[in-house]
């Protein structure tokens, strides 16, 4: 059903930024990016966010804009992100698709249009991973996810 959720670990910790960078690079290398699937991104995010409590750091790797026709489900995910004080990052590889965007820039814009209300969309095809990690860390530090307040 939602194959990429099968790979989600409930707890992921790295001791340093360099270890996190290595782990992100390893995840990208393992991802096949098969360029062709009907991804159920909203359903996967809903499942991941309802399995956790709060202050979730969710990373979605994809090359597809996802199935975005269900606006009610999208709103549920937006509410879950807000109510759980979670941060979602979409590490995307935009590409030209048949009957879709005719340039990588158009593909990235489609992804941003679909996911910007939920989280941060980052083009990893044209981004240095250290720069991507720095952007993620900066956004996490500005968010409630890293405020250290357990109460």
């Amino acid at each position: 059903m939602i194959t990429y959720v099968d790979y989600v670990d409930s707890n992921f910790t790295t001791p340093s930024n360099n270890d996190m960078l290595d782990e992100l690079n390893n995840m990208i290398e393992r991802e096949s990016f098969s360029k062709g699937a009907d991804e159920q991104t909203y359903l996967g995010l809903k499942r991941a966010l309802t399995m956790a409590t709060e202050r979730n750091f969710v990373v979605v790797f994809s090359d597809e804009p996802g199935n975005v026709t269900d606006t009610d489900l999208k709103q549920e995910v937006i509410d879950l992100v807000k109510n759980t004080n979670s941060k979602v990052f979409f590490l995307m590889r935009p590409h030209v698709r048949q009957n879709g965007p005719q340039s990588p820039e158009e593909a990235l814009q489609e992804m941003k249009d679909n996911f910007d209300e939920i989280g941060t969309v980052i083009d990893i095809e044209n981004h240095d991973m250290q720069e991507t990690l720095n952007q993620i860390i900066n956004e996490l530090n500005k968010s409630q996810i890293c405020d250290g307040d357990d109460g």
Side-chain angles (χ1 to χ4, degrees):
M1 182 171 89
I2 308 168
T3 57
Y4 58 90
V5 173
D6 294 337
Y7 302 106
V8 173
D9 288 326
S10 60
N11 189 0
F12 178 88
T13 305
T14 59
S16 71
N17 291 352
N18 285 337
D19 291 328
M20 179 65 158
L21 179 61
D22 290 343
E23 191 59 36
L24 284 173
N25 280 319
N26 289 336
M27 287 178 189
I28 290 169
E29 288 175 19
R30 288 191 306 257
E31 176 60 55
S32 67
F33 291 101
S34 62
K35 295 187 177 171
D38 181 20
E39 297 180 8
Q40 302 293 314
T41 307
Y42 294 153
L43 193 57
L45 283 168
K46 178 181 176 181
R47 181 174 172 191
L49 291 166
T50 55
M51 289 175 21
T53 54
E54 63 177 18
R55 293 189 184 135
N56 303 293
F57 167 48
V58 179
V59 180
V60 176
F61 292 90
S62 184
D63 64 347
E64 293 290 326
N67 181 348
V68 295
T69 57
D70 190 339
T71 56
D72 291 336
L73 183 57
K74 179 179 181 178
Q75 189 58 54
E76 282 184 65
V77 171
I78 292 169
D79 292 343
L80 278 167
V81 168
K82 181 180 176 184
N83 294 336
T84 60
N85 293 320
S86 297
K87 287 293 287 180
V88 179
F89 294 90
F90 297 90
L91 302 187
M92 309 299 273
R93 284 189 162 168
H95 63 90
V96 175
R97 294 186 321 278
Q98 187 175 20
N99 301 322
Q102 298 304 304
S103 72
E105 294 79 17
E106 287 179 19
L108 181 63
Q109 187 58 54
E110 180 182 21
M111 293 168 172
K112 287 181 176 185
D113 291 345
N114 293 338
F115 301 125
D116 265 350
E117 289 180 85
I118 295 170
T120 303
V121 177
I122 300 172
D123 176 1
I124 61 171
E125 190 72 21
N126 300 300
H127 240 139
D128 173 70
M129 279 312 292
Q130 182 63 55
E131 181 183 334
T132 299
L133 180 60
N134 289 341
Q135 181 178 352
I136 290 170
I137 290 169
N138 287 337
E139 290 195 33
L140 287 173
N141 284 333
K142 289 189 279 184
S143 73
Q144 292 181 357
I145 199 171
C146 291
D147 71 4
D149 179 14
D150 292 330

